[in-house]
Amino acid sequence: MNILIVDDHPLVCAALESVIKDSFSGVVVEQIFCAKKALAYLAKCKVDILVLDIELGDDDGFDLLHKAKRFGFDGKVIVISSKDERLCSDLAISKGVSGYLDKKESVSRVADAVKAVSRGYTYFRQVSSRVSQRGSGRSVKLSTRERAVLRLLLDGYPNKEIARKMNISEKTVSTYKRRILDKYDVRSVFMLVKYSSYIIR
């Protein structure tokens, strides 16, 4: 079994690799600390399970996953993050991810997650529904860019800072924000945060 760990914190990678190697025999584990190198690796090497941090410095883990799938990556994916668990779980499920780990949990849980997804199961601490519009049950589909903007908005970043982080214009950020608000049927970012439980439950 070939496993790739992608996280911009070497100590996290080392801890995860140690647990995985102690728990499974014959496993090959590689560590990569940035999105660009990870994408190159996934494009040319067979990876059975990708353990992926969704925040890789200025890069987005979900964006990396999207690009990797375009290159033919078809392995299982376990997402790790220190952000809001319910929101990240829903985003992960919408991307077809097999498991989610909160970085605040014990690192030993990665062994349970790897065991589960390698056997064809999913691994989520809480059952998470697909993103729905204000609890109505209607699926809200966001583009890769819209998801990135949504995450930054919920983290409290202003349009100018989002534009800088994503290397796009403030006008483009405003357009994405308007689309997101329209899709969730709210009038402001404040309402989006207020009703975030509908987005993530």
Coordinates of all heavy atoms in Angstrom, one line a residue, residues 57-123:
G57 N -0.3 26.4 3.3 CA 0.3 27.8 3.2 C -0.7 28.6 2.4 O -1.9 28.7 2.8
D58 N -0.3 29.1 1.3 CA -1.2 29.9 0.5 C -2.0 29.1 -0.5 O -2.8 29.6 -1.3 CB -0.4 31.0 -0.3 CG 0.1 32.1 0.6 OD1 -0.5 32.3 1.6 OD2 1.2 32.7 0.2
D59 N -1.8 27.8 -0.5 CA -2.5 26.9 -1.4 C -3.7 26.2 -0.8 O -3.7 26.1 0.5 CB -1.5 25.8 -2.0 CG -0.5 26.4 -2.9 OD1 -0.8 27.2 -3.8 OD2 0.7 26.2 -2.7
D60 N -4.6 25.7 -1.6 CA -5.8 25.1 -1.1 C -5.7 23.6 -1.4 O -5.5 23.2 -2.5 CB -7.0 25.7 -1.8 CG -8.3 25.1 -1.3 OD1 -8.7 24.0 -1.7 OD2 -9.0 25.7 -0.4
G61 N -5.9 22.8 -0.4 CA -5.8 21.3 -0.6 C -6.9 20.8 -1.5 O -6.6 19.9 -2.3
F62 N -8.1 21.3 -1.4 CA -9.2 20.9 -2.3 C -8.9 21.2 -3.8 O -9.2 20.5 -4.7 CB -10.5 21.5 -1.9 CG -11.1 20.9 -0.6 CD1 -11.4 21.7 0.4 CD2 -11.3 19.6 -0.5 CE1 -12.0 21.2 1.6 CE2 -11.8 19.0 0.7 CZ -12.2 19.9 1.7
D63 N -8.2 22.4 -4.0 CA -7.8 22.7 -5.3 C -6.7 21.7 -5.8 O -6.8 21.3 -7.0 CB -7.3 24.1 -5.4 CG -7.0 24.7 -6.8 OD1 -7.9 24.4 -7.6 OD2 -6.0 25.3 -7.0
L64 N -5.8 21.4 -5.0 CA -4.8 20.4 -5.3 C -5.5 19.0 -5.7 O -5.1 18.4 -6.7 CB -3.8 20.2 -4.2 CG -2.9 18.9 -4.2 CD1 -2.0 19.0 -5.4 CD2 -2.1 18.8 -2.9
L65 N -6.4 18.6 -4.9 CA -7.1 17.4 -5.2 C -7.8 17.4 -6.5 O -7.8 16.5 -7.3 CB -8.1 17.1 -4.1 CG -9.0 15.8 -4.2 CD1 -8.1 14.6 -4.3 CD2 -9.9 15.7 -3.0
H66 N -8.5 18.6 -6.8 CA -9.2 18.7 -8.1 C -8.2 18.6 -9.3 O -8.5 17.9 -10.3 CB -9.8 20.1 -8.2 CG -10.5 20.4 -9.5 ND1 -11.7 19.8 -9.9 CD2 -10.1 21.3 -10.5 CE1 -12.0 20.3 -11.1 NE2 -11.1 21.2 -11.4
K67 N -7.0 19.2 -9.2 CA -6.0 19.1 -10.2 C -5.5 17.7 -10.4 O -5.2 17.2 -11.5 CB -4.9 20.1 -10.0 CG -5.3 21.6 -10.1 CD -4.2 22.5 -9.7 CE -4.6 24.0 -9.8 NZ -3.5 24.9 -9.4
A68 N -5.2 17.1 -9.2 CA -4.7 15.7 -9.2 C -5.6 14.7 -9.9 O -5.2 13.9 -10.7 CB -4.4 15.3 -7.8
K69 N -6.9 14.9 -9.7 CA -7.9 14.0 -10.4 C -7.9 14.2 -11.9 O -8.1 13.3 -12.6 CB -9.3 14.2 -9.8 CG -9.4 13.7 -8.4 CD -10.9 13.8 -7.9 CE -11.0 13.2 -6.5 NZ -12.4 13.3 -6.0
R70 N -7.6 15.5 -12.3 CA -7.5 15.8 -13.7 C -6.3 15.0 -14.3 O -6.4 14.7 -15.5 CB -7.4 17.3 -14.0 CG -8.8 18.0 -13.8 CD -8.6 19.5 -13.8 NE -7.8 20.0 -14.9 CZ -7.3 21.2 -15.0 NH1 -7.5 22.0 -13.9 NH2 -6.6 21.6 -16.0
F71 N -5.3 14.8 -13.5 CA -4.1 14.1 -14.0 C -4.3 12.6 -13.9 O -3.4 11.8 -14.2 CB -2.9 14.5 -13.2 CG -2.3 15.8 -13.7 CD1 -2.4 17.0 -12.9 CD2 -1.6 15.9 -14.9 CE1 -1.8 18.2 -13.4 CE2 -1.1 17.1 -15.3 CZ -1.1 18.2 -14.6
G72 N -5.4 12.1 -13.4 CA -5.7 10.7 -13.3 C -5.6 10.1 -12.0 O -5.8 8.9 -11.8
F73 N -5.4 10.9 -10.9 CA -5.3 10.3 -9.6 C -6.7 9.7 -9.2 O -7.7 10.4 -9.3 CB -4.9 11.4 -8.5 CG -5.1 10.9 -7.1 CD1 -4.3 9.9 -6.6 CD2 -6.1 11.5 -6.3 CE1 -4.4 9.5 -5.3 CE2 -6.2 11.1 -5.0 CZ -5.4 10.1 -4.5
D74 N -6.7 8.5 -8.8 CA -8.0 7.8 -8.4 C -7.9 7.1 -7.1 O -8.7 6.2 -6.8 CB -8.4 6.9 -9.5 CG -7.4 5.7 -9.8 OD1 -6.3 5.8 -9.1 OD2 -7.7 4.8 -10.6
G75 N -6.9 7.5 -6.2 CA -6.8 6.8 -4.9 C -7.8 7.4 -3.9 O -8.6 8.3 -4.2
K76 N -7.8 6.8 -2.7 CA -8.6 7.2 -1.6 C -8.0 8.5 -1.0 O -6.8 8.7 -1.1 CB -8.7 6.1 -0.6 CG -9.3 4.8 -1.1 CD -10.7 4.9 -1.5 CE -11.3 3.6 -1.8 NZ -12.7 3.6 -2.2
V77 N -8.8 9.3 -0.4 CA -8.3 10.5 0.2 C -8.8 10.7 1.6 O -10.0 10.5 1.9 CB -8.8 11.8 -0.6 CG1 -8.2 13.0 0.0 CG2 -8.3 11.6 -2.1
I78 N -7.9 11.0 2.5 CA -8.3 11.4 3.9 C -7.8 12.8 4.1 O -6.7 13.1 4.0 CB -7.5 10.4 4.9 CG1 -8.0 9.0 4.7 CG2 -7.9 10.9 6.4 CD1 -7.1 8.0 5.5
V79 N -8.8 13.7 4.4 CA -8.5 15.1 4.6 C -8.2 15.3 6.1 O -8.9 14.8 7.0 CB -9.7 15.9 4.1 CG1 -9.6 17.3 4.7 CG2 -9.7 16.0 2.6
I80 N -7.2 16.2 6.4 CA -7.0 16.6 7.7 C -7.0 18.1 7.8 O -6.7 18.8 6.8 CB -5.6 16.1 8.3 CG1 -4.4 16.6 7.4 CG2 -5.6 14.6 8.3 CD1 -3.1 16.2 7.9
S81 N -7.5 18.6 8.9 CA -7.6 20.1 9.1 C -7.7 20.5 10.5 O -8.2 19.7 11.3 CB -8.8 20.6 8.3 OG -8.9 22.0 8.4
S82 N -7.4 21.7 10.8 CA -7.6 22.3 12.2 C -8.8 23.2 12.1 O -9.2 23.8 13.2 CB -6.4 23.0 12.7 OG -6.0 24.1 11.8
K83 N -9.5 23.4 11.0 CA -10.6 24.3 10.9 C -11.9 23.6 11.3 O -11.9 22.5 11.8 CB -10.7 24.7 9.4 CG -9.6 25.6 8.9 CD -9.5 26.9 9.6 CE -8.4 27.8 9.1 NZ -8.4 29.1 9.8
D84 N -13.0 24.4 11.2 CA -14.3 23.9 11.7 C -14.6 22.5 11.1 O -14.7 22.3 9.9 CB -15.4 24.9 11.3 CG -16.7 24.5 11.8 OD1 -17.3 23.5 11.3 OD2 -17.2 25.2 12.8
E85 N -14.8 21.5 12.0 CA -14.9 20.1 11.6 C -16.1 19.9 10.7 O -16.1 19.2 9.7 CB -15.0 19.2 12.8 CG -15.2 17.8 12.4 CD -15.2 16.8 13.6 OE1 -15.2 17.4 14.7 OE2 -15.3 15.6 13.4
R86 N -17.3 20.5 11.1 CA -18.5 20.2 10.3 C -18.5 20.8 8.9 O -18.8 20.2 7.9 CB -19.7 20.7 11.1 CG -20.0 19.9 12.4 CD -21.1 20.6 13.2 NE -20.7 21.9 13.6 CZ -21.6 22.8 14.2 NH1 -22.8 22.4 14.3 NH2 -21.2 24.0 14.5
L87 N -17.9 22.0 8.8 CA -17.8 22.7 7.5 C -16.8 21.9 6.6 O -17.1 21.6 5.5 CB -17.3 24.1 7.7 CG -17.0 24.8 6.4 CD1 -18.2 24.9 5.5 CD2 -16.5 26.2 6.7
C88 N -15.7 21.5 7.2 CA -14.7 20.8 6.4 C -15.2 19.4 6.0 O -14.9 18.9 4.9 CB -13.4 20.7 7.2 SG -12.5 22.3 7.4
S89 N -15.9 18.8 6.9 CA -16.5 17.5 6.6 C -17.4 17.5 5.4 O -17.3 16.7 4.5 CB -17.2 16.9 7.8 OG -16.3 16.6 8.8
D90 N -18.3 18.5 5.4 CA -19.2 18.7 4.3 C -18.5 19.0 3.0 O -18.8 18.5 1.9 CB -20.2 19.8 4.5 CG -21.5 19.2 5.2 OD1 -21.9 18.1 4.9 OD2 -22.0 19.9 6.1
L91 N -17.5 19.9 3.0 CA -16.7 20.2 1.8 C -16.0 18.9 1.4 O -15.9 18.7 0.1 CB -15.7 21.3 2.1 CG -16.3 22.7 2.4 CD1 -15.2 23.7 2.8 CD2 -16.9 23.2 1.1
A92 N -15.4 18.2 2.3 CA -14.7 16.9 1.9 C -15.7 15.9 1.3 O -15.3 15.3 0.2 CB -14.1 16.3 3.2
I93 N -16.8 15.8 1.8 CA -17.8 14.8 1.2 C -18.2 15.3 -0.2 O -18.3 14.5 -1.1 CB -19.0 14.7 2.1 CG1 -18.7 14.0 3.4 CG2 -20.2 14.0 1.4 CD1 -19.8 14.0 4.5
S94 N -18.4 16.6 -0.4 CA -18.8 17.1 -1.7 C -17.7 16.9 -2.7 O -18.0 16.9 -3.9 CB -19.1 18.6 -1.6 OG -17.9 19.4 -1.4
K95 N -16.4 16.6 -2.3 CA -15.3 16.4 -3.2 C -15.0 14.9 -3.3 O -14.1 14.5 -4.0 CB -14.1 17.1 -2.7 CG -14.1 18.6 -2.7 CD -14.2 19.1 -4.1 CE -12.9 18.9 -4.9 NZ -13.0 19.5 -6.3
G96 N -15.9 14.0 -2.7 CA -15.7 12.6 -2.8 C -14.6 12.0 -2.0 O -14.1 10.9 -2.2
V97 N -14.3 12.7 -0.9 CA -13.2 12.3 0.0 C -13.7 11.1 0.9 O -14.9 11.1 1.2 CB -12.8 13.5 0.9 CG1 -11.9 13.0 2.1 CG2 -12.0 14.5 0.1
S98 N -12.9 10.2 1.2 CA -13.2 9.0 2.0 C -13.2 9.2 3.5 O -13.8 8.4 4.2 CB -12.3 7.9 1.6 OG -12.5 7.5 0.2
G99 N -12.4 10.2 4.0 CA -12.3 10.3 5.4 C -11.9 11.7 5.8 O -11.3 12.5 5.0
Y100 N -12.1 12.0 7.1 CA -11.7 13.4 7.6 C -11.2 13.2 9.0 O -11.8 12.5 9.9 CB -12.9 14.3 7.7 CG -12.6 15.6 8.3 CD1 -12.0 16.7 7.6 CD2 -12.9 15.8 9.7 CE1 -11.7 17.9 8.2 CE2 -12.5 17.0 10.3 CZ -11.9 18.0 9.6 OH -11.6 19.2 10.2
L101 N -10.1 13.9 9.3 CA -9.5 13.9 10.6 C -9.3 15.3 11.1 O -8.7 16.1 10.4 CB -8.1 13.2 10.6 CG -8.1 11.6 10.5 CD1 -6.7 11.1 10.3 CD2 -8.8 11.0 11.7
D102 N -9.7 15.6 12.3 CA -9.5 16.9 12.9 C -8.1 16.9 13.6 O -7.8 15.9 14.3 CB -10.6 17.1 14.0 CG -10.6 18.6 14.5 OD1 -9.4 19.1 14.7 OD2 -11.6 19.1 14.8
K103 N -7.3 17.9 13.3 CA -5.9 17.9 13.9 C -5.9 18.0 15.4 O -4.9 17.7 16.0 CB -5.1 19.1 13.3 CG -4.6 18.8 11.9 CD -3.7 19.9 11.4 CE -3.0 19.6 10.1 NZ -2.1 20.6 9.7
K104 N -7.0 18.3 16.0 CA -7.1 18.4 17.4 C -7.3 17.0 18.1 O -7.2 16.8 19.3 CB -8.2 19.3 17.9 CG -8.0 20.8 17.5 CD -9.1 21.7 18.0 CE -10.4 21.5 17.3 NZ -10.3 22.0 15.9
E105 N -7.6 16.0 17.2 CA -7.7 14.6 17.7 C -6.3 14.0 17.9 O -5.3 14.5 17.4 CB -8.5 13.8 16.7 CG -10.0 14.3 16.6 CD -10.7 13.3 15.6 OE1 -11.2 12.3 16.1 OE2 -10.9 13.7 14.5
S106 N -6.3 12.8 18.5 CA -5.1 12.1 18.7 C -4.5 11.6 17.3 O -5.3 11.2 16.5 CB -5.3 10.8 19.6 OG -4.2 10.0 19.5
V107 N -3.2 11.8 17.1 CA -2.6 11.4 15.9 C -2.8 9.9 15.6 O -2.8 9.5 14.4 CB -1.1 11.8 15.8 CG1 -0.4 10.9 16.8 CG2 -0.5 11.7 14.4
S108 N -3.1 9.1 16.6 CA -3.2 7.7 16.4 C -4.5 7.3 15.6 O -4.6 6.2 15.0 CB -3.3 7.0 17.8 OG -4.5 7.4 18.5
R109 N -5.4 8.3 15.5 CA -6.6 8.0 14.8 C -6.4 7.9 13.3 O -7.2 7.3 12.5 CB -7.6 9.2 15.0 CG -8.3 9.1 16.3 CD -9.4 10.2 16.4 NE -10.2 10.1 17.6 CZ -11.2 9.3 17.8 NH1 -11.7 8.5 16.9 NH2 -11.8 9.3 19.0
V110 N -5.2 8.3 12.8 CA -4.9 8.2 11.4 C -4.8 6.7 11.0 O -5.2 6.3 9.9 CB -3.6 8.9 11.0 CG1 -2.4 8.2 11.5 CG2 -3.5 9.0 9.5
A111 N -4.4 5.9 11.9 CA -4.4 4.4 11.6 C -5.8 3.9 11.4 O -6.0 3.0 10.5 CB -3.7 3.7 12.8
D112 N -6.7 4.3 12.3 CA -8.1 3.9 12.1 C -8.7 4.3 10.8 O -9.4 3.6 10.1 CB -9.0 4.4 13.2 CG -8.5 3.9 14.6 OD1 -8.0 2.8 14.7 OD2 -8.7 4.6 15.6
A113 N -8.3 5.6 10.4 CA -8.9 6.1 9.1 C -8.3 5.3 7.9 O -9.0 5.0 7.0 CB -8.5 7.6 9.1
V114 N -7.0 5.1 8.0 CA -6.3 4.4 6.9 C -6.9 3.0 6.7 O -7.2 2.5 5.6 CB -4.8 4.3 7.1 CG1 -4.2 3.3 6.1 CG2 -4.2 5.7 6.9
K115 N -7.1 2.3 7.9 CA -7.7 0.9 7.9 C -9.1 1.0 7.3 O -9.4 0.1 6.4 CB -7.7 0.4 9.3 CG -8.3 -1.0 9.4 CD -8.4 -1.5 10.8 CE -7.0 -1.7 11.4 NZ -7.1 -2.2 12.8
A116 N -9.9 1.9 7.6 CA -11.3 2.0 7.2 C -11.3 2.3 5.7 O -12.0 1.5 4.9 CB -12.0 3.1 7.9
V117 N -10.6 3.3 5.2 CA -10.7 3.6 3.8 C -10.0 2.6 2.9 O -10.5 2.4 1.7 CB -10.2 5.0 3.5 CG1 -10.9 6.1 4.3 CG2 -8.7 5.1 3.7
S118 N -9.0 1.9 3.4 CA -8.4 0.9 2.6 C -9.3 -0.3 2.4 O -9.1 -1.1 1.4 CB -7.1 0.4 3.3 OG -7.3 -0.2 4.5
R119 N -10.3 -0.5 3.3 CA -11.2 -1.6 3.1 C -12.5 -1.2 2.4 O -13.5 -1.9 2.4 CB -11.6 -2.1 4.5 CG -10.4 -2.8 5.2 CD -10.7 -3.3 6.6 NE -9.6 -4.0 7.2 CZ -9.6 -4.5 8.5 NH1 -10.7 -4.3 9.2 NH2 -8.5 -5.1 8.9
G120 N -12.5 0.1 1.9 CA -13.7 0.5 1.2 C -14.7 1.3 2.0 O -15.8 1.6 1.5
Y121 N -14.4 1.6 3.2 CA -15.3 2.3 4.1 C -15.0 3.8 4.1 O -13.9 4.2 3.6 CB -15.3 1.8 5.5 CG -15.8 0.3 5.6 CD1 -14.8 -0.7 5.8 CD2 -17.1 0.0 5.6 CE1 -15.2 -2.0 5.9 CE2 -17.5 -1.4 5.7 CZ -16.5 -2.3 5.9 OH -16.9 -3.7 6.0
T122 N -15.9 4.6 4.6 CA -15.6 6.0 4.9 C -15.3 6.2 6.3 O -15.6 5.4 7.2 CB -16.7 6.9 4.5 OG1 -17.9 6.5 5.2 CG2 -17.0 6.9 3.0
Y123 N -14.6 7.3 6.7 CA -14.2 7.5 8.1 C -14.4 9.0 8.4 O -13.7 9.9 8.1 CB -12.7 7.2 8.3 CG -12.3 7.2 9.7 CD1 -12.4 6.1 10.5 CD2 -11.8 8.4 10.3 CE1 -12.0 6.1 11.9 CE2 -11.4 8.5 11.6 CZ -11.5 7.3 12.4 OH -11.2 7.4 13.7

